[in-house]
Amino acid sequence: MCGIIGYVGRNAATPVLLGGLRRLEYRGYDSAGLTIQQAGGLRTLRAVGKVARLADKVRAEWVEAEVAAGHAGIAHTRWATHGAPTEANAHPHSDATGRIRLVHNGIIENYRHIRAKLEAKGHVFASETDTEALVRLIGEYHKGDLRQAVIAALRRVEGAYGIAVLSAAEPGVIVVARKGSPLVIGVGEGECLVASDPAALVAHTRRVIYLDDGDVARVTADSVDITDLDHAPIDREIAELTFEAGAVEKGGHAHFMLKEIHEQPETVGNALRGRLDLVNGTAVLSGMGATARELLDFQRVVMVGCGTSLHAGMVGEFALEELAAIHAEVQPAAEFRYRNPLVDGRDLVVAISQSGETADTLAAVREAKDKGAVVMGLVNVVGSAIARETGRGVYLHAGPEISVASTKAFTGQVAVLLLMALKFGRGRRLSGERGQALAAEIARLPKLIEAVLAQDAAIAAVAARMAGHDHAFFLGRGPMHPVALEGALKLKEISYVHAEGYHAAELKHGPIALLTPGMPVVVLANRSPVLDKVLGNAEECRARGARVIAVVTDGGPPVAVADDVIRIPDCDPLVATIPAAVALQLLAYHVARLRDCPIDQPRNLAKSGTVE
Ligand code: M6R
């Protein structure tokens, strides 16, 4: 996933573009570049590495008057898919004449074919990218009207794209198009912006137009003209962004990840707001659009997602089976889409995604719809592809998540899945009394999370004793097994510690051979029906010299084998998954901080996978 920003208007484009790139850097940070339209033509600068390197280059190579003169431009921050992160592969790319430049998110699948044809005509490619094939093709079709040339080229490409294009021949015009990769237009006073993410726009305007697949827009300082690929005009409404500019700032925290961890009492509160019916012990999820009758009729709930969202689904699986006695399962979205899944109209398929743009999850949605299943989204980003394609579901209301490592989205997803399980349960077999008790427990979540956050210093001290180790295990059983997987994922992605999440009982079936004296083993040993078993598993690790870090219920029995203890407040074992996850997020954060890792932008990662 990469980031796109474009600007046309009364202000100098360069500072706006660099500011937008900084906001988008979490989407990819291998290399960056920008093109500015000036009286003499197009000027491009590109740099390997972070946006700061590009900004240094602009300062060193462009005089101030040049910067001030460019009022239209496009820019890109890259997460490499085709070709290494080099300056030659960085965007913007150019057509053969040098008079058209393009930035692109996504993948042009038939680029080899296009490239071969263009090379046969004499084109000499300057990069290894799929993108260059597209811009050169646009150049081939260009007869003076940029949008027409873009449409002609797009009709010949296969794959996914969000693009922004400039031509030296059309000053003050940016042409943008999308298919499978998000693009949004910001409509300001005497200026317009385009971006792959509204986070880059909110400092300039709150009025936005979300493009749909197949849209092509010609954007000037004071007009947005949208057509489809057949040149038929399209009307899209202007929407208002609901989050503040501050939501995409660090707000005094050292990292976005830490800020987002600390936001969780509020974000989980937002996910629950207006959705808990404490009197009837149920949940109100109008976005699901399911009647009580429909809930009874579903034979199965199948959840699909990737990474952290997959782990949230695994917690949901336990909650749905325990509370609603419905067959529930979770599948990696990338697997679901290719395995010819056995779903039909009696199944509910729930697509779980923070971004709402993950390619595999979106493809799973399409596959499930083709098979006739009822499909819902459990999504954070409003108006995202999955939200739109599912048409119904539940938003997380967690606000923009900038850190590549997902935190507040996970707890929001689990909170909503608990609500879903409660609603299903009350529609099926859960008693009013149990429903009320559980609803009351779920309502405590913001306070439960606050209690974990209050132990930040104690968790940092545990992290200090862990930070020197390059390997770690995370163990859990029942709904804490996915929390263990998530804790391990957090640690490995931001601290580069090799961490394995395991079912506590599975350890002795092989991986226990890896235990060495002093190796940290984080054991989720909260109050639960299987606590004794978990403690037994912890003993097995301790007996082999491992260092046991136990996540325990405050006020619960002492855990004799624990070298370190992290306390979570006493609560229902399903609900406890959320405070436990928050504790592990803090643990991973502090280990990464002590190891001096680039926490918000870990190597090789980007915020979400819009390519397979
Ligand atoms: O936006 P999504 O929830 O669909 O993204 C899914 C995964 O790519 C994401 O959760 C990833 O695993 C995170 N880096 C985990 O922190």
Short mmCIF file of all heavy atoms in Angstrom, two decimals, residues 75-99:
data_model
loop_
_atom_site.label_atom_id
_atom_site.label_comp_id
_atom_site.label_asym_id
_atom_site.label_seq_id
_atom_site.Cartn_x
_atom_site.Cartn_y
_atom_site.Cartn_z
N ALA A 75 2.14 13.75 -5.57
CA ALA A 75 3.25 13.17 -4.80
C ALA A 75 2.86 11.79 -4.31
O ALA A 75 1.68 11.43 -4.29
CB ALA A 75 3.60 14.08 -3.63
N HIS A 76 3.89 11.05 -3.87
CA HIS A 76 3.68 9.63 -3.59
C HIS A 76 4.68 9.16 -2.55
O HIS A 76 5.84 9.57 -2.56
CB HIS A 76 3.91 8.85 -4.90
CG HIS A 76 3.53 7.41 -4.86
ND1 HIS A 76 4.45 6.41 -4.63
CD2 HIS A 76 2.34 6.79 -5.05
CE1 HIS A 76 3.84 5.23 -4.68
NE2 HIS A 76 2.56 5.43 -4.93
N THR A 77 4.25 8.31 -1.64
CA THR A 77 5.18 7.60 -0.76
C THR A 77 4.95 6.12 -0.99
O THR A 77 3.81 5.67 -1.04
CB THR A 77 5.06 8.05 0.71
OG1 THR A 77 5.87 7.21 1.52
CG2 THR A 77 3.64 8.05 1.24
N ARG A 78 6.03 5.37 -1.17
CA ARG A 78 5.92 4.05 -1.80
C ARG A 78 6.18 2.90 -0.84
O ARG A 78 7.02 3.00 0.05
CB ARG A 78 6.93 3.99 -2.96
CG ARG A 78 7.00 2.67 -3.69
CD ARG A 78 7.83 2.79 -4.96
NE ARG A 78 7.76 1.57 -5.74
CZ ARG A 78 8.77 0.72 -5.91
NH1 ARG A 78 9.94 0.99 -5.37
NH2 ARG A 78 8.62 -0.38 -6.61
N TRP A 79 5.44 1.83 -1.04
CA TRP A 79 5.73 0.53 -0.43
C TRP A 79 5.94 -0.42 -1.60
O TRP A 79 4.99 -0.76 -2.31
CB TRP A 79 4.56 0.09 0.46
CG TRP A 79 4.83 -1.20 1.17
CD1 TRP A 79 5.63 -1.38 2.27
CD2 TRP A 79 4.29 -2.49 0.86
NE1 TRP A 79 5.62 -2.70 2.64
CE2 TRP A 79 4.81 -3.40 1.80
CE3 TRP A 79 3.42 -2.97 -0.13
CZ2 TRP A 79 4.49 -4.75 1.78
CZ3 TRP A 79 3.10 -4.32 -0.14
CH2 TRP A 79 3.64 -5.20 0.81
N ALA A 80 7.20 -0.80 -1.81
CA ALA A 80 7.59 -1.47 -3.06
C ALA A 80 6.83 -2.77 -3.30
O ALA A 80 6.72 -3.60 -2.41
CB ALA A 80 9.08 -1.75 -3.03
N THR A 81 6.30 -2.93 -4.51
CA THR A 81 5.77 -4.23 -4.94
C THR A 81 6.58 -4.74 -6.13
O THR A 81 7.07 -5.85 -6.13
CB THR A 81 4.28 -4.15 -5.33
OG1 THR A 81 4.12 -3.18 -6.35
CG2 THR A 81 3.40 -3.84 -4.14
N HIS A 82 6.72 -3.92 -7.15
CA HIS A 82 7.48 -4.32 -8.34
C HIS A 82 8.75 -3.48 -8.41
O HIS A 82 8.68 -2.29 -8.72
CB HIS A 82 6.66 -4.12 -9.61
CG HIS A 82 5.52 -5.06 -9.73
ND1 HIS A 82 4.44 -5.00 -8.89
CD2 HIS A 82 5.29 -6.11 -10.56
CE1 HIS A 82 3.58 -5.96 -9.20
NE2 HIS A 82 4.08 -6.65 -10.22
N GLY A 83 9.88 -4.11 -8.15
CA GLY A 83 11.14 -3.39 -8.19
C GLY A 83 11.53 -2.89 -6.81
O GLY A 83 10.68 -2.51 -6.00
N ALA A 84 12.83 -2.91 -6.57
CA ALA A 84 13.36 -2.53 -5.25
C ALA A 84 13.08 -1.05 -4.96
O ALA A 84 12.77 -0.28 -5.88
CB ALA A 84 14.86 -2.79 -5.26
N PRO A 85 13.18 -0.66 -3.70
CA PRO A 85 12.99 0.76 -3.37
C PRO A 85 14.20 1.61 -3.78
O PRO A 85 15.06 1.91 -2.99
CB PRO A 85 12.80 0.75 -1.84
CG PRO A 85 13.33 -0.54 -1.35
CD PRO A 85 13.33 -1.50 -2.49
N THR A 86 14.25 1.94 -5.06
CA THR A 86 15.34 2.78 -5.58
C THR A 86 14.73 4.08 -6.09
O THR A 86 13.51 4.18 -6.26
CB THR A 86 16.03 2.10 -6.77
OG1 THR A 86 15.02 1.90 -7.79
CG2 THR A 86 16.61 0.75 -6.39
N GLU A 87 15.60 5.04 -6.38
CA GLU A 87 15.07 6.32 -6.89
C GLU A 87 14.40 6.10 -8.25
O GLU A 87 13.35 6.69 -8.53
CB GLU A 87 16.23 7.32 -7.00
CG GLU A 87 15.72 8.73 -7.18
CD GLU A 87 16.84 9.75 -7.10
OE1 GLU A 87 17.69 9.65 -6.19
OE2 GLU A 87 16.86 10.64 -7.97
N ALA A 88 14.99 5.23 -9.08
CA ALA A 88 14.40 5.00 -10.42
C ALA A 88 13.01 4.39 -10.32
O ALA A 88 12.15 4.64 -11.16
CB ALA A 88 15.31 4.08 -11.22
N ASN A 89 12.78 3.60 -9.28
CA ASN A 89 11.46 2.96 -9.15
C ASN A 89 10.45 3.82 -8.39
O ASN A 89 9.27 3.50 -8.34
CB ASN A 89 11.61 1.61 -8.43
CG ASN A 89 12.28 0.57 -9.32
OD1 ASN A 89 12.19 0.66 -10.54
ND2 ASN A 89 12.95 -0.40 -8.72
N ALA A 90 10.95 4.90 -7.76
CA ALA A 90 10.05 5.77 -7.00
C ALA A 90 9.11 6.52 -7.95
O ALA A 90 9.46 6.77 -9.10
CB ALA A 90 10.86 6.76 -6.16
N HIS A 91 7.94 6.87 -7.46
CA HIS A 91 6.98 7.65 -8.25
C HIS A 91 7.24 9.13 -7.97
O HIS A 91 7.80 9.44 -6.93
CB HIS A 91 5.55 7.32 -7.82
CG HIS A 91 5.19 5.88 -7.98
ND1 HIS A 91 3.91 5.46 -8.31
CD2 HIS A 91 5.90 4.75 -7.82
CE1 HIS A 91 3.88 4.15 -8.34
NE2 HIS A 91 5.09 3.69 -8.04
N PRO A 92 6.79 10.05 -8.80
CA PRO A 92 6.05 9.90 -10.05
C PRO A 92 6.91 9.32 -11.17
O PRO A 92 8.11 9.53 -11.23
CB PRO A 92 5.65 11.35 -10.39
CG PRO A 92 5.73 12.09 -9.10
CD PRO A 92 6.82 11.45 -8.34
N HIS A 93 6.21 8.59 -12.08
CA HIS A 93 6.84 8.08 -13.29
C HIS A 93 6.39 8.92 -14.48
O HIS A 93 5.38 9.60 -14.42
CB HIS A 93 6.47 6.60 -13.48
CG HIS A 93 7.17 5.73 -12.48
ND1 HIS A 93 8.51 5.42 -12.59
CD2 HIS A 93 6.74 5.14 -11.35
CE1 HIS A 93 8.87 4.67 -11.56
NE2 HIS A 93 7.81 4.48 -10.79
N SER A 94 7.20 8.81 -15.54
CA SER A 94 6.99 9.70 -16.68
C SER A 94 6.69 8.93 -17.96
O SER A 94 7.16 7.81 -18.13
CB SER A 94 8.28 10.51 -16.88
OG SER A 94 8.18 11.27 -18.05
N ASP A 95 5.94 9.57 -18.85
CA ASP A 95 5.75 8.97 -20.18
C ASP A 95 7.01 9.23 -21.03
O ASP A 95 7.97 9.83 -20.54
CB ASP A 95 4.49 9.53 -20.85
CG ASP A 95 4.71 10.91 -21.44
OD1 ASP A 95 5.51 11.67 -20.85
OD2 ASP A 95 4.12 11.21 -22.48
N ALA A 96 6.97 8.82 -22.28
CA ALA A 96 8.18 8.92 -23.11
C ALA A 96 8.57 10.37 -23.39
O ALA A 96 9.75 10.68 -23.56
CB ALA A 96 7.94 8.18 -24.43
N THR A 97 7.59 11.27 -23.40
CA THR A 97 7.90 12.67 -23.74
C THR A 97 8.37 13.46 -22.54
O THR A 97 8.89 14.56 -22.68
CB THR A 97 6.64 13.38 -24.30
OG1 THR A 97 5.68 13.48 -23.23
CG2 THR A 97 6.03 12.64 -25.47
N GLY A 98 8.13 12.96 -21.35
CA GLY A 98 8.46 13.71 -20.13
C GLY A 98 7.41 14.76 -19.81
O GLY A 98 7.57 15.54 -18.88
N ARG A 99 6.31 14.78 -20.56
CA ARG A 99 5.29 15.83 -20.35
C ARG A 99 4.06 15.31 -19.60
O ARG A 99 3.11 16.04 -19.35
CB ARG A 99 4.90 16.45 -21.71
CG ARG A 99 6.11 17.26 -22.25
CD ARG A 99 5.84 17.95 -23.54
NE ARG A 99 4.71 18.86 -23.56
CZ ARG A 99 4.71 20.09 -23.05
NH1 ARG A 99 5.77 20.56 -22.41
NH2 ARG A 99 3.64 20.86 -23.17
#
